[in-house]
Amino acid sequence: MPYSGTVQVGGPADVHELRDLMISKVAVGPMDNNAYLLRCRATGEQLLVDAANDAQTLLGLIGDDGIASVVTTHRHGDHWQALAEVVGATGARTYAGRDDAEGIPVPTDVLLDDGDTLRVGEVELTARHLTGHTPGSIALVYDDPSGPPHLFTGDCLFPGGVGNTFGSAENFARLIDDVENKLFGQLPDETWVYPGHGADTTLGAERPHLAEWRERGW
């Protein structure tokens, strides 16, 4: 079956097979969080984006090969409920945005700043620091040499808008500025977007609505 990006809590993972990377998406927990397992096809090394909930589901997805690292996209509790158990079971190195690490109750081994790179096997990912949803949210960009880029946005970008800024006009302005400048301003329309909850999208599908989002203020 072709990859659709549509998953349900308790259901199977959906797997996006790229030339150099396999991306397995699963939904977990009462807030329907997405977790993404990235596997380098050349080396078999694995990285998990957001150990959000249901450690047993995540560990089953990871399998016997284990993981080298876990990236937590931001400090909100629904994105790290299973982090301690997953790290305890795998010994994985932890990554998070510098300005959010203090709000994550598992020590962060590597603090990420805007433009920092990290690797899963032979695959390189670039961190983009996006403010507004939280102070230190991190998106990850995989600039696929054989196709369009792939973008893991946490709760900063979804189909239909940017993330929740909890009624703060100042935080909304920061978030939409960062999303426009660091994501839409630097990546092509074909970029595949993997959000922290719900269905996938592309930058091209969302780009025509940026002015509308600014006008409505959320």
Side-chain angles (χ1 to χ4, degrees):
M1 294 288 292
Y3 177 78
S4 70
T6 300
V7 291
Q8 295 182 338
V9 174
D14 198 7
V15 181
H16 202 169
E17 298 194 28
L18 311 178
R19 188 191 70 181
D20 299 322
L21 186 69
M22 292 180 62
I23 302 167
S24 298
K25 177 181 182 180
V26 66
V28 292
M31 297 184 71
D32 291 350
N33 285 75
N34 296 326
Y36 300 94
L37 182 68
L38 281 53
R39 182 181 180 92
C40 171
R41 297 181 76 123
T43 67
E45 185 171 296
Q46 298 189 122
L47 174 151
L48 183 68
V49 179
D50 283 344
N53 208 303
D54 192 354
Q56 292 310 304
T57 291
L58 298 180
L59 291 170
L61 181 67
I62 291 164
D64 294 338
D65 289 341
I67 50 172
S69 46
V70 183
V71 179
T72 302
T73 57
H74 63 289
R75 65 169 63 185
H76 287 159
D78 58 309
H79 289 260
W80 47 253
Q81 290 296 311
L83 182 59
E85 190 170 346
V86 168
V87 170
T90 63
R93 179 177 286 266
T94 54
Y95 293 75
R98 180 177 301 277
D99 296 330
D100 267 15
E102 66 179 7
I104 300 168
V106 174
T108 299
D109 297 317
V110 181
L111 299 173
L112 294 171
D113 295 307
D114 190 61
D116 284 350
T117 59
L118 57 154
R119 302 187 71 84
V120 51
E122 297 180 0
V123 169
E124 184 175 88
L125 307 170
T126 302
R128 302 317 313 252
H129 176 208
L130 307 171
T131 58
H133 181 67
T134 65
S137 289
I138 291 291
L140 296 175
V141 181
Y142 169 47
D143 192 4
D144 187 350
S146 64
H150 296 260
L151 173 63
F152 302 86
T153 57
D155 284 1
C156 287
L157 178 64
F158 297 98
V162 296
N164 192 350
T165 53
F166 311 100
S168 168
E170 181 180 5
N171 285 343
F172 171 76
R174 288 175 176 168
L175 181 56
I176 199 161
D177 283 350
D178 276 357
V179 165
E180 281 202 50
N181 294 331
K182 296 181 180 180
L183 304 184
F184 286 94
Q186 298 187 26
L187 297 167
D189 283 352
E190 297 78 17
T191 302
W192 197 289
V193 176
Y194 305 85
H197 305 262
D200 297 357
T201 187
T202 63
L203 291 186
E206 307 305 324
R207 194 184 300 273
H209 305 290
L210 286 168
E212 170 193 335
W213 300 349
R214 277 196 179 273
E215 178 67 23
R216 76 188 185 192
W218 56 276

